[in-house]
Amino acid sequence: MSSHPAQDGPRKHGLLLLELDGAGSHPAAWRVSRTAPAAVLGPEHLRGAVLAAESAGFHAATFSDPGLQAPGHPDAAARLNALQRAAFAGPVTRSLALIPEVDTAYTEPFHISTQLASLDYVSGGRAGWLVAASTSAADAAAVGRDTVRGDRLSREAADSIEVSRRLWDSWEDNAVIRDVPTGRYLDVDKLHYIDVENGSYSVKGPSIIPRPPQGQLPVLAPAGLLAAEAIAAGAADALLVSAPTPGLLAAELAATRAGLAAGGNGPALIAELDVVLDSRGQAAAERLAGLNGHTPWQSPRAQFIGSAAGLTDLLTEVLAWAEGVRLHPAVLDTDLEELTRLVLPELRRRGVLAPTSPDATFRDQLGLARPASRYAAISSGTTAPGAEN
C-alpha cells in the first residue's frame, strides 16, 4: 500500500480535476447541451472534451461510471464504460491525468488491476483509479450476487484495493528482459505469486501485465468509504471530500484532516463541488431552474451557483485547505467554456494552481515517489525504499 509524507497543516498542490461524464453532471444536461445527444457517445465529443480540459489547464479528468437510470426515466441516457473512455483519451493527451471510476463490489480485482495497468501504459503513466462501491440492487442482479452494504462494502473495497496493489507489484520492474540469444522474454524469477486470502478474495497471481509505469497507480476513494485502519495502512492516496454547501467545505476538509492526523501522515484531500455558472447573459440560478424543471439534481455534493468571479474566490479559499478540487459542471460545454475563459486564468494569476507539465505522471502531480515492488525487496532479502507501497 502507499505511504504518505508527513505534513504540518495542509499540503499545497493546487490541483483541479474535471468530471467529464456525458453532456454534464446534471441529469438533464443533454437537453440544453450544444452537442447532440447521439454525438455525446461519439469519439469526437470525448476527444474534444479531454483536449479542451487539457488546454484549459486542468490537471486531471475523471470519468464517472454510475448505473443507468430506471427504464422510463425522462432523462435516462446511455453511457460508455469509464475505463474505455479513459483509454481512448490516453493517446490524445499529454499532461492530463486520466482517472476512471471502477466499482469494487461487482468487479473482480484481477480484472480491475490489469485494465488499470493497461491504461497506465496507454497514457504514459497518467492513470489513476477512482474507487466506487455500488449499493445498487440492479448492479448486484446484473452479476448475479447479493447486494453488498455497510461494513462488508467497505471491507470488500479495501480488500480489492489490496489485491490490485499486490498484483501491480507481482512483476518486478526489470522482469521483461527480451534476451534474444536465449529466447527468453521474461526472467521468471522476477514474477511473484501474491497468495492473497483476505476473506473477500482468493488470488494466486501473478498479474498477466507487466508492472505499470507508475509502479502503483494513485488510488482515490470517497471519504467515508474505507475504514480508518485501511486509510492508515495507505489504501488510498487521496480522499474525495463532500459537504452539504460550499460554505461548509473548508470545515469538512479541516475535520477530515484532523481525523487523519495521527502520526502526521495521510492521503491528499480533494474537495467535491458541483458548478453552475452565469453564462452568455443567463444567470446560473435561472439555468439551474430550467434544468431542474426536467429532473431535479439530487447530488450529495456542495453546489456553487453563481458567477465565475465568485467561484474563483471560493476555489482560492478551498485550495488553502485541500490539495485539489474536483469540479462537476452541470452542462459540460457551457460551464467548461466559462471555467476556461474566466476561472482558471485568474486562479493561475493568483498563484494557487500547480503548473501542468507534459508527460508528468499522476504520482508526480500528487507529490508521490515511485515505489519499489514489495516483492523485489523480498526476493533480494533487503528492504527497498518504498517497498511497503
Side-chain angles (χ1 to χ4, degrees):
M1 290 194 176
S2 288
S3 60
H4 307 284
Q7 65 169 63
D8 295 313
R11 289 164 290 188
K12 181 175 175 60
H13 286 332
L15 303 179
L16 277 186
L17 293 72
L18 182 69
E19 171 55 42
L20 292 180
D21 183 33
S25 294
H26 195 289
W30 65 274
R31 295 179 178 272
V32 298
S33 172
R34 295 192 288 272
T35 303
V40 168
L41 297 180
E44 289 306 319
H45 171 73
L46 179 55
R47 179 184 287 108
V50 294
L51 290 177
E54 185 170 68
S55 177
F58 282 93
H59 301 89
T62 62
F63 303 85
S64 66
D65 205 10
L68 294 175
Q69 298 278 8
H73 189 284
D75 285 310
R79 61 179 68 247
L80 299 175
N81 175 274
L83 258 166
Q84 293 172 348
R85 285 180 282 155
F88 176 84
V92 301
T93 51
R94 284 196 61 192
S95 64
L96 197 68
L98 305 170
I99 313 168
E101 177 184 294
V102 185
D103 184 78
T104 57
Y106 306 117
T107 312
E108 294 295 327
F110 196 93
H111 302 307
I112 293 174
S113 68
T114 53
Q115 290 175 22
L116 287 170
S118 297
L119 174 61
D120 208 37
Y121 276 102
V122 168
S123 64
R126 291 179 283 118
W129 176 13
L130 176 52
V131 172
S134 174
T135 59
S136 164
D139 290 348
V143 295
R145 68 167 294 185
D146 295 334
T147 305
V148 184
R149 300 183 187 277
D151 291 343
R152 183 181 171 193
L153 190 73
S154 174
R155 184 175 64 254
E156 285 198 12
D159 288 346
S160 179
I161 293 169
E162 175 66 10
V163 170
S164 296
R165 287 194 182 280
R166 287 185 174 273
L167 285 167
W168 291 332
D169 276 349
S170 64
W171 290 52
E172 295 183 33
D173 288 321
N174 53 354
V176 177
I177 56 175
R178 298 184 179 92
D179 190 339
V180 174
T182 64
R184 291 188 305 153
Y185 180 70
L186 300 173
D187 181 345
V188 295
D189 292 331
K190 295 182 178 179
L191 272 64
H192 303 277
Y193 295 120
I194 67 170
D195 290 321
V196 170
E197 295 276 356
N198 60 17
S200 301
Y201 303 102
S202 175
V203 181
K204 184 73 173 176
S207 178
I208 58 173
I209 299 243
R211 195 161 190 247
Q214 295 181 94
Q216 290 282 326
L217 276 66
V219 175
L220 287 65
L225 172 61
L226 301 174
E229 295 79 10
I231 294 173
D237 299 293
L239 296 179
L240 302 175
V241 179
S242 298
T245 66
L248 294 176
L249 262 178
E252 187 65 29
L253 288 162
T256 303
R257 182 85 68 194
L260 301 171
N265 296 327
L269 299 185
I270 297 174
E272 295 267 53
L273 187 65
D274 292 338
V275 173
V276 190
L277 293 173
D278 300 341
S279 175
R280 300 191 177 190
Q282 187 176 23
E286 181 184 348
R287 291 183 56 219
L288 181 59
L291 291 165
N292 284 343
H294 298 287
T295 300
W297 196 2
Q298 298 176 330
S299 167
R301 301 174 294 268
Q303 289 186 355
F304 176 85
I305 307 162
S307 68
L311 177 62
T312 303
D313 291 340
L314 174 63
L315 292 176
T316 300
E317 176 188 350
V318 172
L319 286 170
W321 288 97
E323 284 74 36
V325 179
R326 180 188 182 205
L327 301 179
H328 299 255
V331 180
L332 181 60
D333 49 19
T334 302
D335 292 299
L336 179 54
E337 182 180 76
E338 301 303 316
L339 290 166
T340 300
R341 189 169 62 91
L342 298 173
V343 177
L344 272 76
E346 177 59 18
L347 289 172
R348 292 204 181 281
R349 190 192 68 78
R350 297 183 186 186
V352 298
L353 292 185
T356 56
S357 177
D359 302 320
T361 69
F362 189 27
R363 292 188 72 89
D364 291 337
Q365 290 192 20
L366 290 170
L368 298 172
R370 188 183 189 279
S373 165
R374 71 196 75 197
Y375 300 110
I378 292 171
S379 64
S380 66
T382 62
T383 301
E388 73 278 6
N389 293 3

